[in-house]
Amino acid sequence: MLQLLNKCRKRLPTILIDPESAGGKRVMDAVISASLNPKIDPHLRLAALTLLQKRMSVIDPTTPKRLFATQQEPRFAISPKFGLDLEALHAFEVALEKYILSTLPGRADADDPPALAQTRAGLLIALLITRMGQASVRVLAAALRDLHRKPSVAGHWAWIDVQVSTGSYASTETRRIHLDPNTLIAWILAAEVREHMPTAPLAARSNVVGKHYRKQAKEFFAAFLSQLGTLNCKRPIRNLDDLCRCQAQRLCVTTMPVIASYASGSIVSSSIETSTWHRTIGYEEAVDAAGNEEAIASSVLKDVSAKGVQAENSYAEQLAAGDLESEGPVAELREAMRLPRAQWGQAFDQLITKYEVSGKIATSAYVVSWMQYLTTQYRYKGKPLTDGTLRYYRGLISNRLLSCLPESLENLDAEDLQEAYEDLLSDRRSPQQGVRMRIALLAFDRFLRSRIPNFPQVHVPGFEAPGAYSISARIITPAEYEEGLRLIDSGRIVFASDRLRDQTRGFWILAYRFGLRRSELIGVRVSDFSGDVMRVRRNRARSLKTSNATRLIPLLALSRDEYRWIQAWVEGARASGSEYLFFDQEPDYSALASHPVIAKINLILLKVTGDPRAHPHNLRHSTGSNNILGMLGDDLGLAEHPCAEPWMIECIGAAKRLEGQISGALHARAARGAALSMLLGHGTEMVTYEHYIHTFDLLLFFASWSGRYGRRSSGAVEYPRRKEAAQIRAMLGLASTTRLQTSDLGVLMQIASSIRPGGVSLLEKSKPRSSGSEKDDSAVEKAPQEQMISLGDLLNGDTSGVTEGRPLLQAETDAAWSLIEHLGRAIHSDREGVRNWLNIWRAGLLKGYDWSSMRLPVAREFLAMTNALLPELQLEWLHVRKVGGKIKKQRVESAAIEGLNQGSVRVRVMEPRLQQAVGSKRSRLQSVVTWCLLRILTISF
């Protein structure tokens, strides 16, 4: 510890002489920064940090509480023999290429189907590792299990989503395995003979199924290695584990350790949700993509037995378990449990009385109550828990619950509770310990729900059958974020006041750029903004989840326009004398939870994504996912990659601004992942990586395949040159003289898919969205904005006196926008034609009605003009004629207008949503349409 203190003495000269004058927070920040890359044993470093934190908390009670004595973030280490590993990997790839070119896998003879199945599966595994970077046996086993499913192909992208059973949570994670043309062909070939591969026993448990396919993957690869031996190839790779380790070494050396950790399965993460992924690449979701997915059953353990718990004897392990606390609930629990067990209940009662706070639901009281319940009431298979199990939960779980949960459970937000649980689950030292912690956390959660009414609901891995990884994986792309800003400013979103519009814009900017929690942002005070920094800290309106949530937000990471607007917004509130940005007076919890800005943010998310499930918390997930993609993708040459989408490249620019501030200004010498974790208010990188980063699969793809098709390799080590065209021909089973177009990835994917059209799901392009995800935007979307009309043009400067039908509610505004979008495209192509069309409609407009009356020749001309200018616009026709001296009205279709020979017709312009509206609501929406048409005629366009 003295070594660490001496390192930071230059920053804080008084740290050794008078630590109280330096302050606990400053001392700990300085020590953390000084120990980022220590040359001491990590266990001793963590123990020293924990001990210093305890001493500083005595000197300064405001010292932040962090979980130092935890497992280090899994970063794949460089082996001392990494040079030999890279050489072995290179030799294997040479042998693999020789095998492909000599055997023509696409023409393989099927005389021995089981042997062919083994060989093709082994080839697929080899390509998934060497070309796609998959270095986890669990992921490869999941790929074999899902061979019956069809990969999706969309333009230059091909992929398959698999569910990977994770040992540390006894739940599942979603991984998207991206495929290049060769690997796609290998998948199709292996899928054709999958019926000859042994399957797992029916109704087997998930762990048995996982074990079966892991064993199968190793056996198939061993069979494939023997095939390479028949070609007299050098075989330095001995087994599947060897190849995975060598590939992870290459990723670690040529890219960064965190990608190697993800590739090897050390980081449990979830890929961008399928619907989000399809939306961002501009393709429709396959009809059968979701229907064919198998749910991986995972047993939900309902007991809290810690049978087999090993004693943790080392000093660092005791610190990690929180069993050396000198004060606080855990220390008092330890003292109470030194008594004979018969006296534990009475001692617990005294502690509960001590920790119960009047008017608050104290967390410490409930933790002690839970320990009392486990000791005196709970039975596992009819027997009470052993003393060793109870001490394990006291030292490990109780301490971490108190570290992760807020001091009080009163008015606890669901998002804060979920993050607290995620913090605890990510704070594991081993997969086995992770399972025990999950079981105990589930028991604690059930205990709370039996005693606290309306306790917030959470969705944590393992909390629900079948234990699916339920963390939100929906993100918002930069283009969708910009579209949200345009919606706010354009008038398309109806606001009750200008202040609510400003609050919505401020929430949208700060939540997306910095990943602020909802309560942190809505409860912010004007005084929290000072210069170029926003402070996230406790105030009278709301508390923070943990001390890790107390942090600084660098406003200079915003774009120039965003920064100026936020500063003007804050200064305006300060000048008006407001204490809170979102309230006129100090709010209570219910006001924080029900602020109208949340409903507006939900509406914006729905409009920019089309996903009704999107939630403000997805903005926080977007901050982590997009910024990691931008930060690391810049090093990987993402911008030059032929598969890069525009939104991915946009992430780079925003990530550079943010990285410069959080790594350079506020958190000097911090690693990128640690700095991003600090920005989000997490105590450890693992919480950020495992729950808020959904783009690791993309980074792995770019890292593993960046050297293909003449593109530059990433890192200092070059990938071996490959005969791409020759290998693809061989995989397809084509002659060596066959010519192939290999410069266009989209063409290559089509060729690879054409060998067995039924082996893949070809996705169709979706209707162009305003998100900008399409590369071939139409000319209309590229038209200058000043040539288009907008709702703002119609609402502003209205001197015509046309007020009937003016949109007031959101549904009415949406109806107006829908009509304006139709007319705007027509105005761009034929301005004068639209004006003539509108004049014909207005000439016959009946006073007080939405119908325009026309003689038959005029109606036919009007219909022809509509079909030419506005083919998507819907018209409603009414045939009016005299029958027996009475006026008879009858609705007719547009096609029937030509066949009418008497009377006249009335027409009105419909908006699509009118078909679902009824009664007065429909009448109101129809009057909005009429108002729009009349207002357009009064402006210059």
Side-chain angles (χ1 to χ4, degrees):
M1 183 169 63
L2 286 176
Q3 181 182 2
L4 295 178
L5 291 175
N6 283 321
K7 283 185 177 182
C8 66
R9 185 166 52 177
K10 294 180 180 179
R11 302 185 185 186
L12 300 173
T14 61
I15 192 171
L16 296 178
I17 303 172
D18 186 12
E20 186 174 5
S21 64
K25 185 178 187 307
R26 293 184 65 203
V27 170
M28 294 310 301
D29 284 346
V31 173
I32 293 169
S33 181
S35 64
L36 284 175
N37 296 299
K39 295 182 179 179
I40 58 176
D41 182 83
H43 292 299
L44 296 179
R45 166 184 172 266
L46 295 173
L49 286 171
T50 303
L51 186 57
L52 178 62
Q53 177 180 253
K54 295 177 187 300
R55 294 184 179 179
M56 287 308 303
S57 63
V58 175
I59 298 172
D60 180 7
T62 65
T63 301
K65 190 173 184 180
R66 295 178 180 271
L67 298 172
F68 295 115
T70 63
Q71 182 190 29
Q72 283 188 303
E73 289 77 15
R75 296 291 188 87
F76 201 93
I78 297 178
S79 167
K81 60 184 188 68
F82 77 90
L84 297 176
D85 290 339
L86 295 184
E87 183 180 355
L89 183 59
H90 175 71
F92 178 81
E93 289 197 319
V94 171
L96 179 61
E97 183 176 85
K98 182 178 179 181
Y99 170 84
I100 292 173
L101 296 179
S102 62
T103 60
L104 298 176
R107 290 185 177 180
D109 191 5
D111 288 342
D112 188 357
L116 179 62
Q118 285 192 348
T119 302
R120 286 188 171 181
L123 175 61
L124 172 62
I125 291 171
L127 292 177
L128 285 174
I129 297 172
T130 58
R131 302 183 71 99
M132 299 293 98
Q134 302 296 337
S136 167
V137 176
R138 289 189 300 107
V139 174
L140 297 169
L144 286 183
R145 184 200 64 225
D146 288 350
L147 268 178
H148 66 283
R149 296 177 52 229
K150 300 177 181 180
S152 298
V153 179
H156 48 257
W157 289 100
W159 70 91
I160 186 77
D161 290 334
V162 299
Q163 301 292 324
V164 184
S165 178
T166 60
S168 57
Y169 291 154
S171 59
T172 57
E173 68 168 310
T174 302
R175 288 237 178 176
R176 179 164 297 119
I177 301 177
H178 291 285
L179 308 171
D180 71 349
N182 273 5
T183 316
L184 175 62
I185 298 168
W187 184 287
I188 297 172
L189 294 177
E192 290 180 344
V193 291
R194 68 182 182 278
E195 64 271 11
H196 300 291
M197 303 177 189
T199 59
L202 294 175
R205 294 194 307 176
S206 60
N207 61 335
V208 175
V209 174
K211 184 178 180 181
H212 167 84
Y213 285 106
R214 287 193 296 272
K215 179 181 178 182
Q216 192 177 81
K218 294 180 180 181
E219 292 175 350
F220 289 173
F221 185 75
F224 180 71
L225 279 180
S226 65
Q227 290 287 325
L228 293 184
T230 61
L231 301 176
N232 296 321
C233 295
K234 183 180 179 182
R235 292 192 301 158
I237 300 296
R238 296 170 299 176
N239 50 50
L240 182 58
D241 290 326
D242 258 5
L243 184 59
C244 289
R245 178 177 51 79
C246 291
Q247 174 66 331
Q249 281 296 324
R250 180 162 69 182
L251 289 169
C252 189
V253 172
T254 60
T255 58
M256 52 278 297
V258 68
I259 293 181
S261 295
Y262 176 77
S264 61
S266 300
I267 295 177
V268 179
S269 187
S270 181
S271 301
I272 297 175
E273 192 179 65
T274 304
S275 60
T276 302
W277 171 242
H278 289 166
R279 186 180 74 243
T280 55
I281 63 173
Y283 281 80
E284 298 283 358
E285 190 165 354
V287 175
D288 61 342
N292 289 339
E293 291 186 5
E294 286 185 338
I296 310 303
S298 177
S299 57
V300 179
L301 304 178
K302 298 181 180 180
D303 62 83
V304 292
S305 173
K307 184 178 180 181
V309 172
Q310 299 296 322
E312 301 184 55
N313 298 319
S314 72
Y315 182 72
E317 287 175 334
Q318 287 177 322
L319 277 173
D323 213 16
L324 296 183
E325 296 277 355
S326 59
E327 59 182 7
V330 173
E332 293 179 332
L333 273 171
R334 182 178 65 249
E335 294 300 320
M337 294 175 72
R338 284 177 177 170
L339 300 171
R341 181 161 179 169
Q343 301 178 27
W344 287 5
Q346 181 180 357
F348 288 159
D349 286 334
Q350 295 175 357
L351 290 178
I352 293 169
T353 302
K354 174 182 178 180
Y355 286 116
E356 284 179 340
V357 180
S358 177
K360 288 188 176 181
I361 305 176
T363 300
S364 53
Y366 274 102
V367 171
V368 177
S369 298
W370 179 61
M371 287 298 302
Q372 182 190 56
Y373 165 74
L374 294 180
T375 302
T376 60
Q377 301 178 47
Y378 182 80
R379 294 291 185 272
Y380 173 61
K381 295 183 178 179
K383 299 179 182 179
L385 298 182
T386 65
D387 291 3
T389 297
L390 292 168
R391 289 193 175 96
Y392 174 83
Y393 287 137
R394 177 208 71 214
L396 181 69
I397 305 299
S398 297
N399 176 60
R400 295 186 180 179
L401 282 170
L402 292 169
S403 300
C404 294
L405 289 170
E407 295 178 359
S408 172
L409 299 179
E410 187 176 35
N411 294 331
L412 184 63
D413 185 83
E415 293 174 5
D416 292 343
L417 177 64
Q418 179 160 330
E419 286 201 9
Y421 282 0
E422 291 166 3
D423 281 349
L424 186 143
L425 289 174
S426 298
D427 186 23
R428 63 190 184 276
R429 294 182 63 82
S430 68
Q432 293 76 21
Q433 189 187 73
V435 173
R436 292 194 293 270
M437 289 169 63
R438 185 187 62 80
I439 296 169
L441 180 59
L442 179 58
F444 178 75
D445 183 79
R446 288 175 175 168
F447 174 81
L448 288 182
R449 294 183 191 284
S450 66
R451 285 158 176 80
I452 303 178
N454 302 321
F455 196 63
Q457 186 63 46
V458 293
H459 300 282
V460 179
F463 267 58
E464 69 292 320
Y469 194 89
S470 57
I471 303 302
S472 172
R474 295 186 293 275
I475 70 168
I476 313 302
T477 66
E480 290 170 338
Y481 162 75
E482 295 292 342
E483 177 64 15
L485 289 179
R486 287 192 291 270
L487 285 175
I488 296 170
D489 296 332
S490 66
R492 187 165 183 176
I493 305 296
V494 176
F495 295 96
S497 64
D498 290 340
R499 185 184 183 190
L500 181 57
R501 176 186 287 108
D502 292 343
Q503 291 171 346
T504 303
R505 185 189 294 109
F507 188 104
W508 184 255
I509 292 173
L510 295 175
Y512 182 82
R513 293 300 189 196
F514 302 118
L516 290 164
R517 299 179 179 94
R518 181 180 61 184
S519 59
E520 291 172 347
L521 192 45
I522 294 182
V524 71
R525 295 188 302 177
V526 175
S527 58
D528 290 333
F529 291 84
S530 177
D532 301 327
V533 173
M534 172 187 171
R535 294 178 177 86
V536 180
R537 54 187 176 181
R538 289 182 173 87
N539 58 40
R540 296 188 304 273
R542 55 104 171 96
S543 60
L544 298 180
K545 180 170 70 72
T546 65
S547 58
N548 297 324
T550 302
R551 58 199 190 276
L552 300 179
I553 302 298
L555 298 178
L556 286 176
L558 298 170
S559 69
R560 181 182 302 176
D561 291 342
E562 291 169 342
Y563 174 80
R564 290 175 177 173
W565 189 90
I566 291 293
Q567 292 286 31
W569 178 43
V570 174
E571 290 305 317
R574 185 176 283 119
S576 67
S578 298
E579 182 181 0
Y580 291 89
L581 269 178
F582 288 82
F583 298 94
D584 293 322
Q585 57 187 3
E586 183 176 309
D588 56 15
Y589 174 77
S590 61
L592 288 174
S594 61
H595 195 284
V597 75
I598 300 301
K600 296 302 178 184
I601 294 296
N602 285 333
L603 179 61
I604 294 170
L605 289 170
L606 174 62
K607 287 187 176 296
V608 300
T609 67
D611 187 350
R613 300 167 298 164
H615 183 273
H617 201 62
N618 293 124
L619 297 173
R620 183 166 164 83
H621 285 257
S622 304
T623 301
S625 298
N626 291 340
N627 280 289
I628 282 291
L629 180 66
M631 290 175 185
L632 305 187
D634 190 37
D635 294 343
L636 299 175
L638 184 154
E640 294 83 26
H641 199 281
C643 289
E645 299 288 333
W647 69 270
M648 300 175 189
I649 299 173
E650 288 180 46
C651 288
I652 295 177
K656 282 183 178 179
R657 293 196 304 269
L658 185 64
E659 183 182 2
Q661 295 298 320
I662 61 177
S663 295
L666 296 181
H667 305 291
R669 299 175 61 184
R672 285 179 290 195
L676 185 60
S677 178
M678 293 178 194
L679 179 78
L680 295 176
H682 294 150
T684 171
E685 288 179 55
M686 279 303 297
V687 177
T688 307
Y689 289 156
E690 296 201 342
H691 301 287
Y692 288 87
I693 306 300
H694 309 300
T695 48
F696 274 132
D697 61 304
L698 284 170
L699 289 169
L700 178 59
F701 172 72
F702 289 123
S704 306
W705 200 59
S706 59
R708 310 296 180 247
Y709 300 104
R711 302 287 174 173
R712 69 178 179 86
S713 293
S714 60
V717 179
E718 289 289 324
Y719 282 85
R721 293 292 178 181
R722 290 187 175 136
K723 302 174 183 177
E724 289 291 339
Q727 285 196 57
I728 293 175
R729 283 194 296 264
M731 292 294 295
L732 290 168
L734 301 175
S736 59
T737 57
T738 306
R739 298 180 63 85
L740 280 179
Q741 168 61 266
T742 58
S743 60
D744 189 315
L745 281 177
V747 172
L748 272 180
M749 285 299 178
Q750 292 295 327
I751 295 174
S753 303
S754 66
I755 64 167
R756 306 288 191 278
V760 300
S761 294
L762 287 173
L763 273 60
E764 296 182 359
K765 281 196 174 184
S766 59
K767 183 179 179 181
R769 298 182 57 85
S770 57
S771 63
S773 61
E774 288 286 334
K775 293 185 177 181
D776 53 348
D777 292 333
S778 65
V780 173
E781 292 173 329
K782 296 178 182 178
Q785 187 67 30
E786 60 269 14
Q787 295 183 10
M788 312 294 283
I789 57 174
S790 69
L791 183 57
D793 297 331
L794 305 187
L795 292 171
N796 299 328
D798 185 359
T799 60
S800 64
V802 181
T803 58
E804 180 65 29
R806 184 185 179 94
L808 300 175
L809 303 178
Q810 188 62 54
E812 298 165 4
T813 303
D814 291 342
W817 267 99
S818 177
L819 178 63
I820 289 170
E821 287 177 352
H822 284 304
L823 292 177
R825 291 193 288 269
I827 289 172
H828 176 70
S829 59
D830 189 350
R831 191 179 296 250
E832 196 58 35
V834 173
R835 192 182 300 277
N836 293 335
W837 179 84
L838 284 170
N839 281 325
I840 293 175
W841 171 83
R842 183 176 60 175
L845 186 62
L846 299 175
K847 186 176 181 180
Y849 292 90
D850 301 311
W851 295 96
S852 178
S853 179
M854 301 178 185
R855 291 181 291 108
L856 288 177
V858 178
R860 295 187 182 104
E861 180 186 358
F862 184 78
L863 177 59
M865 294 178 68
T866 304
N867 292 335
L869 294 171
L870 303 157
E872 297 179 0
L873 199 65
Q874 297 184 27
L875 301 178
E876 189 175 6
W877 298 91
L878 202 62
H879 183 207
V880 182
R881 68 187 190 277
K882 276 190 176 183
V883 179
K886 294 183 179 180
I887 300 296
K888 184 176 181 181
K889 302 175 185 178
Q890 182 181 6
R891 295 185 187 275
V892 294
E893 298 294 333
S894 298
I897 300 299
E898 291 293 338
L900 298 178
N901 53 22
Q902 60 176 332
S904 62
V905 292
R906 294 179 185 179
V907 62
R908 64 179 178 184
V909 179
M910 291 185 63
E911 197 275 330
R913 71 187 63 240
L914 291 175
Q915 296 179 351
Q916 285 78 38
V918 295
S920 60
K921 183 176 181 181
R922 170 168 180 164
S923 176
R924 176 62 187 168
L925 290 177
Q926 187 64 63
S927 65
V928 168
V929 172
T930 303
W931 175 86
C932 282
L933 295 175
L934 290 174
R935 282 293 296 126
I936 290 172
L937 275 169
T938 64
I939 65 175
S940 176
F941 64 86

